[in-house]
Amino acid sequence: MATLEDLGVSAFINILGAFVFLLLFAVLRIQPVNDRVYFPKLYLAHKRAHDHSSRSAVRRFVNLNVCTYITFLSWVPGALRMTEPELIAHAGLDSAVYLRVYTLGLKIFLPIAALALLILVPVNVSGGTLLNLRKEVVFSDIDKLSISNVSPGSNRFFIHLLMAYVFTFWVCFMLYKEYSNVAFMRLHFLASQKRCADQFTVIVRNIPRTSSHSTSETVDEFFRRNHPDHYLGQQPVYNANRYAKLVKKKERLQNWLDYYQLKFERHPEKRPTRRTGCLGFCGREVDQIDYYRARISELERKMASERQKVLNDPKAIMPVSFVTFDSRWGAAVCAQTQQSKNPTQWLTDWAPEPRDVYWQNLAIPFFSLSIRRFLISVAVFALVFFYMIPITFVQSLANLEGLEKVAPFLKPVVEVKVVKSFLQGFLPGLALKIFLYILPTVLLIMSKVEGYVSLSSLERRTASKYYYFMLVNVFLGSIIAGTAFEQLYNFLHQPPTQIPKLIGVAIPMKATFFMTFIMVDGWAGIANEILRVKPLVIYHLKNMFIVKTERDRERAMDPGSIGLGENLPSLQLYFLLGLVYAVVTPLLLPFIIIFFAFAFLVYRHQIINVYNQEYESAAAFWPQVHSRIIASLLISHVTLFGLMSTKKAAFSTPLLIFLPLLTIWFHKYCKSRFEPAFRKYPLEEAMEKDNMEHASEPNLNLKSFLANAYLHPIFHLFEEAAKEEQEETVEVRIDKAQKQQQQHHQQDETHVRSSSQYHEESHFRSTHETYYHHEESQVSRSNQYHEGIHVRSDTDSPSPPHFIYHYDIQP
């Protein structure tokens, strides 16, 4: 078991590591060559740029201003300078509310820590019961500060009971205030939000198929009949997943081709070659540039065939559609009501914003969703169960004294002071962190298999799975496994009646392990977050081998998002540890407070300068955060109840029964009071905003605003490919005209140029009319779309299907 000396070693290693990371960050962030790694968000927003023309070659890579190296903590006031309204405007409401979780942790645990350290620690220290159990259990000096040091049946437990009530009331009070504030922020954000496509759009799933009508005709007929006053149009969903995979494969091949071309440009005396067999060690030797050009050419032929299939095959249209209305009120009525007598058909919900849509899952048949979710639930249960094996092994490292009694041959190694301090004070938390590193990716894949249609819902489901894993394996698994190893000798040699007593004493002893975990994950881990080692290395490797254009450089500096699916469960684990050990072992609370304060500063800086906002859910994850903190509070009550029951506190223990009852009542009240603001959109608010918009913009044309808002992103590539083909055709015609100009007289030059310009203008008009003209011949075009026929000119390549308007409604 870790002693104060072991904790001191762990604290020294982690504080030193955090300081080194911060020092490296202070140096690296001011180097011009790393600017796109530490400030990518400002580049993407066009708020930051460097004029390299006025700089020397050295200054483009290295900052020679010595003064900037002295103020290595200058990023802290920069992170705090932006106000919350400015932060919302800059990074969105999701980011601002995410930061409020950290401030909520400080608001909860600062007063609790003050009371616990001033009241409970002196009460525990004066107990002295562990001295009488010295021969029965393994303990350290830290355990003398916990509730384990209070003698059984002591009246001192009434103080712990009183503190449990005070802490619970304080947590509930802060949760109520925060829930109220976040709900108000969400409603205010939605009311002040600019006009967006998702405000007028509903996603409709499980559309019934009929033999006499196409899917588009069925949707159009249903909504014209049931929503005649507000239905505007629809956007069918096409299954373009196979084409999207081909596009991604082409991008990977293109990256390799760019790499070898750049390599050949730097060393033109030698063409890059490689064998085609396994890992390049066998097979025939080929020219890498020609090889990848041939593979890309072959892939482009497959893409052209797949594109024709998507556009012309009626089976490519899925029983899912994005239906739009001419008002927010009409969309709200449709999204929040049942559409059919059959509750399994015509399922409607608010459409996520276009950038939030996870297009791959829209093609999943509705009937398979329940099967998928059942199988994933079984898989998650199995994952949680089998992960107990490495967790148990980690705990054996944290309890070497208990393991020595079972395996005496380990004693010579364990007794080495440096090895012992390192194994107990640092390695367990580090090993657990490594085990948890790959887990969010696995859980995200599972959530995708379940079939959720938005990135925000995928992250929320991933966060739920990750929380259950952290609860079972990191918290309960650490306590159970650690207790089993630590007290194994006593379990084998003590009467069965003594086992509950030993377990009750051993539970608070795991606080030392969680202290080391907090230092590794919450101190050094957060410092590593701001250093961004992995993105830094990847960016410079791409910049060295792949980047050739400014567009390539923007792709290379892709900062990603904040990762709520991984970060929220970790935050909720800290709330759980703090609430469980607030009464049991108050010494753990300062470690958690340091984490919340440090992480708040780091993530505020990252949100302002680094992370990109992939979507905006208007803080839809907050009810989940509130529920998890309530669950942590209930677990703390149950843990304290079980612990005090082993302490023979017959008079004080029954009084704890009221705490979980009050907490559950409080949760139900908050759920009914605030959660509707996160699940539904008030019709009153929708009507008011519609009236204001009609008064300010009476001639607004929603048709043009909503056209192709929910078009599959892959179809935009169709348009880009068509435009590129047209540009190439124009260039070819210009080249031919120039050749004719060289063969004929100089006086024909003006005529050839004017002819080229005419071709360009005619192609532009043809493209514009083909892609965007919807007002003329709406009925005939709509009928052609319903039959799966795409309207295009004879010379144009196939362009994607566009928005189908309800032709009975005028703009």
Side-chain angles (χ1 to χ4, degrees):
M1 173 171 297
T3 63
L4 282 175
E5 184 178 358
D6 298 332
L7 282 180
V9 172
S10 178
F12 174 77
I13 294 175
N14 286 283
I15 292 175
L16 180 62
F19 180 78
V20 171
F21 287 154
L22 291 177
L23 197 60
L24 287 174
F25 168 69
V27 174
L28 294 175
R29 68 184 286 266
I30 60 177
Q31 308 305 321
V33 69
N34 299 324
D35 214 43
R36 292 179 180 268
V37 178
Y38 294 110
F39 302 97
K41 189 168 187 175
L42 303 183
Y43 274 96
L44 294 176
H46 304 289
K47 296 180 180 179
R48 190 179 183 94
H50 283 298
D51 183 15
H52 295 301
S53 60
S54 61
R55 295 185 173 193
S56 63
V58 176
R59 289 180 179 272
R60 294 179 185 179
F61 295 94
V62 182
N63 184 0
L64 300 180
N65 187 357
V66 180
C67 298
T68 57
Y69 290 89
I70 300 175
T71 57
F72 69 97
L73 290 178
S74 60
W75 62 272
V76 176
L80 297 175
R81 190 175 298 117
M82 185 177 289
T83 63
E84 188 171 68
E86 293 173 342
L87 184 66
I88 294 174
H90 176 71
L93 184 62
D94 284 341
S95 300
V97 173
Y98 172 73
L99 291 175
R100 290 184 71 94
V101 182
Y102 290 98
T103 58
L104 176 63
L106 292 174
K107 293 175 183 177
I108 287 177
F109 289 114
L110 278 173
I112 288 179
L115 286 176
L117 295 177
L118 292 175
I119 298 176
L120 292 181
V121 170
V123 172
N124 296 334
V125 170
S126 59
T129 188
L130 287 178
L131 297 177
N132 300 326
L133 298 174
R134 182 178 295 274
K135 297 181 180 180
E136 300 178 21
V137 298
V138 180
F139 68 94
S140 68
D141 293 336
I142 297 175
D143 299 314
K144 296 178 183 178
L145 307 178
S146 71
I147 197 174
S148 300
N149 202 35
V150 180
S151 59
S154 173
N155 291 330
R156 298 169 184 239
F157 287 116
F158 281 103
I159 301 178
H160 296 83
L161 177 66
L162 177 62
M163 288 294 100
Y165 271 91
V166 172
F167 295 165
T168 300
F169 287 144
W170 174 251
V171 172
C172 291
F173 173 72
M174 293 308 303
L175 283 176
Y176 180 85
K177 287 188 61 178
E178 198 66 21
Y179 212 150
S180 176
N181 291 335
V182 174
F184 174 79
M185 291 172 63
R186 173 181 169 86
L187 292 176
H188 182 267
F189 178 81
L190 293 176
S192 59
Q193 194 177 24
K194 296 181 179 179
R195 182 172 56 253
C196 302
D198 54 286
Q199 299 171 355
F200 303 89
T201 309
V202 171
I203 184 172
V204 184
R205 307 193 71 180
N206 206 25
I207 300 170
R209 294 186 182 273
T210 58
S211 57
S212 58
H213 293 81
S214 66
T215 301
S216 299
E217 288 178 321
T218 303
V219 173
D220 188 70
E221 180 182 351
F222 180 86
F223 282 94
R224 281 195 289 113
R225 183 176 65 251
N226 295 284
H227 297 268
D229 298 328
H230 297 282
Y231 170 58
L232 185 62
Q234 61 161 311
Q235 175 66 67
V237 174
Y238 285 71
N239 186 357
N241 289 349
R242 179 176 172 81
Y243 187 86
K245 291 179 181 178
L246 294 176
V247 171
K248 290 183 179 179
K249 186 176 180 179
K250 180 186 175 183
E251 289 179 353
R252 290 195 296 268
L253 294 177
Q254 188 65 47
N255 286 337
W256 280 110
L257 178 60
D258 293 342
Y259 165 71
Y260 286 113
Q261 285 180 335
L262 185 62
K263 184 177 181 180
F264 179 65
E265 290 175 3
R266 292 176 177 174
H267 303 283
E269 69 279 0
K270 182 180 180 181
R271 298 274 295 186
T273 59
R274 189 186 180 188
R275 296 187 180 275
T276 58
C278 179
L279 300 177
F281 294 107
C282 58
R284 62 187 180 90
E285 188 173 353
V286 296
D287 184 289
Q288 290 292 74
I289 296 178
D290 295 338
Y291 172 72
Y292 280 103
R293 281 177 178 171
R295 290 191 61 183
I296 291 175
S297 178
E298 179 184 357
L299 193 61
E300 286 176 344
R301 289 193 294 269
K302 292 182 180 179
M303 290 172 61
S305 175
E306 184 64 23
R307 180 171 63 183
Q308 293 289 344
K309 182 179 179 181
V310 171
L311 295 175
N312 299 324
D313 187 2
K315 294 182 180 180
I317 302 178
M318 305 307 299
V320 182
S321 183
F322 291 99
V323 177
T324 55
F325 296 82
D326 63 354
S327 66
R328 296 172 182 83
W329 188 92
V333 170
C334 181
Q336 298 168 180
T337 55
Q338 182 175 322
Q339 303 301 311
S340 173
K341 291 181 291 186
N342 186 346
T344 63
Q345 294 181 349
W346 297 104
L347 303 180
T348 58
D349 199 359
W350 281 107
E353 62 175 350
R355 58 179 176 170
D356 190 20
V357 178
Y358 187 69
W359 296 94
Q360 290 88 326
N361 282 356
L362 290 176
I364 298 176
F366 179 80
F367 70 90
S368 68
L369 292 179
S370 57
I371 300 175
R372 286 168 171 260
R373 290 171 187 176
F374 171 75
L375 295 177
I376 291 300
S377 298
V378 175
V380 170
F381 177 81
L383 179 67
V384 170
F385 177 78
F386 287 111
Y387 243 77
M388 285 292 293
I389 297 174
I391 295 295
T392 302
F393 174 74
V394 169
Q395 292 309 307
S396 68
L397 297 178
N399 300 280
L400 296 179
E401 290 91 343
L403 193 61
E404 278 183 11
K405 297 179 180 180
V406 181
F409 61 88
L410 295 175
K411 188 174 182 179
V413 178
V414 172
E415 290 301 322
V416 178
K417 191 172 182 179
V418 177
V419 175
K420 181 178 179 181
S421 298
F422 176 77
L423 291 177
Q424 290 190 332
F426 182 74
L427 187 60
L430 178 62
L432 184 58
K433 181 66 176 177
I434 294 174
F435 285 142
L436 297 178
Y437 182 76
I438 63 173
L439 185 64
T441 302
V442 176
L443 296 179
L444 179 60
I445 295 174
M446 289 183 171
S447 298
K448 291 179 179 179
V449 174
E450 285 183 296
Y452 294 98
V453 298
S454 66
L455 297 175
S456 56
S457 59
L458 285 175
E459 286 204 327
R460 290 197 295 271
R461 293 303 302 171
T462 302
S464 296
K465 295 180 181 65
Y466 198 20
Y467 172 78
Y468 295 136
F469 179 89
M470 301 278 277
L471 174 64
V472 174
N473 284 281
V474 179
F475 179 70
L476 297 179
S478 296
I479 290 177
I480 295 172
T483 301
F485 273 93
E486 180 178 314
Q487 310 298 345
L488 185 57
Y489 179 83
N490 297 294
F491 289 161
L492 298 177
H493 295 81
Q494 290 293 328
T497 55
Q498 296 296 317
I499 292 179
K501 177 181 178 181
L502 295 176
I503 293 178
V505 173
I507 287 177
M509 294 182 181
K510 295 310 302 172
T512 55
F513 166 75
F514 289 120
M515 290 177 189
T516 61
F517 175 75
I518 292 171
M519 285 187 286
V520 173
D521 181 75
W523 296 5
I526 294 298
N528 180 59
E529 159 67 29
I530 199 172
L531 183 58
R532 306 194 76 222
V533 177
K534 180 180 176 181
L536 180 68
V537 174
I538 292 177
Y539 170 76
H540 285 301
L541 288 176
K542 289 183 176 179
N543 199 31
M544 185 182 302
F545 298 110
I546 297 177
V547 171
K548 298 175 67 176
T549 65
E550 190 66 24
R551 185 178 180 182
D552 295 336
R553 187 170 286 105
E554 288 184 0
R555 290 179 178 178
M557 72 173 183
D558 181 22
S561 64
I562 197 171
L564 296 179
E566 178 181 359
N567 289 329
L568 280 179
S570 300
L571 265 174
Q572 291 153 5
L573 175 65
Y574 286 105
F575 278 99
L576 175 63
L577 294 177
L579 294 175
V580 167
Y581 283 98
V583 178
V584 176
T585 308
L587 190 62
L588 183 137
L589 294 177
F591 294 84
I592 292 181
I593 291 173
I594 293 174
F595 160 75
F596 277 116
F598 186 33
F600 171 75
L601 291 174
V602 169
Y603 277 106
R604 208 171 201 276
H605 174 273
Q606 301 295 80
I607 286 172
I608 293 173
N609 299 296
V610 178
Y611 289 125
N612 191 25
Q613 186 182 12
E614 290 187 352
Y615 60 84
E616 179 59 71
S617 69
F621 60 86
W622 182 260
Q624 188 182 73
V625 173
H626 176 88
S627 299
R628 298 291 181 262
I629 298 177
I630 290 293
S632 301
L633 202 56
L634 291 173
I635 293 173
S636 70
H637 297 156
V638 174
T639 304
L640 185 61
F641 185 87
L643 181 59
M644 293 184 67
S645 64
T646 65
K647 291 289 191 174
K648 300 179 181 179
F651 295 101
S652 57
T653 303
L655 298 177
L656 284 172
I657 297 176
F658 297 103
L659 272 181
L661 297 178
L662 292 173
T663 303
I664 293 174
W665 172 84
F666 169 76
H667 175 59
K668 289 186 174 181
Y669 173 77
C670 289
K671 188 179 180 68
S672 60
R673 172 67 178 84
F674 299 114
E675 190 167 336
F678 295 84
R679 299 288 178 256
K680 300 177 181 179
Y681 188 54
L683 294 180
E684 178 184 14
E685 184 74 21
M687 180 63 74
E688 182 179 353
K689 195 163 186 178
D690 286 335
N691 292 336
M692 292 176 59
E693 187 172 72
H694 291 158
S696 60
E697 299 179 74
N699 298 322
L700 175 64
N701 187 353
L702 278 177
K703 286 184 179 181
S704 61
F705 175 73
L706 297 173
N708 304 323
Y710 284 93
L711 186 67
H712 197 297
I714 211 67
F715 289 140
H716 293 296
L717 296 179
F718 292 0
E719 294 184 357
E720 292 177 3
K723 291 178 180 178
E724 289 177 359
E725 291 175 2
Q726 292 170 5
E727 291 175 357
E728 291 175 359
T729 303
V730 172
E731 290 176 0
V732 169
R733 293 180 180 179
I734 293 176
D735 292 340
K736 290 182 178 180
Q738 289 175 349
K739 289 181 180 180
Q740 293 175 359
Q741 170 192 353
Q742 294 174 359
Q743 296 173 358
H744 296 84
H745 300 287
Q746 292 290 335
Q747 59 189 4
D748 295 334
E749 180 180 354
T750 305
H751 174 72
V752 172
R753 288 182 178 178
S754 61
S755 175
S756 300
Q757 291 175 357
Y758 170 78
H759 285 301
E760 289 179 338
E761 293 175 359
S762 62
H763 273 280
F764 174 78
R765 287 196 298 269
S766 175
T767 305
H768 181 76
E769 290 171 0
T770 302
Y771 292 153
Y772 302 108
H773 187 57
H774 298 283
E775 299 299 329
E776 297 178 0
S777 305
Q778 288 183 0
V779 177
S780 61
R781 286 178 182 266
S782 181
N783 291 334
Q784 287 174 327
Y785 277 125
H786 291 168
E787 297 299 325
I789 301 174
H790 176 62
V791 180
R792 61 180 183 270
S793 63
D794 295 334
T795 58
D796 288 341
S797 61
S799 62
H802 284 261
F803 190 79
I804 300 173
Y805 289 124
H806 177 200
Y807 44 78
D808 289 343
I809 296 179
Q810 298 300 322

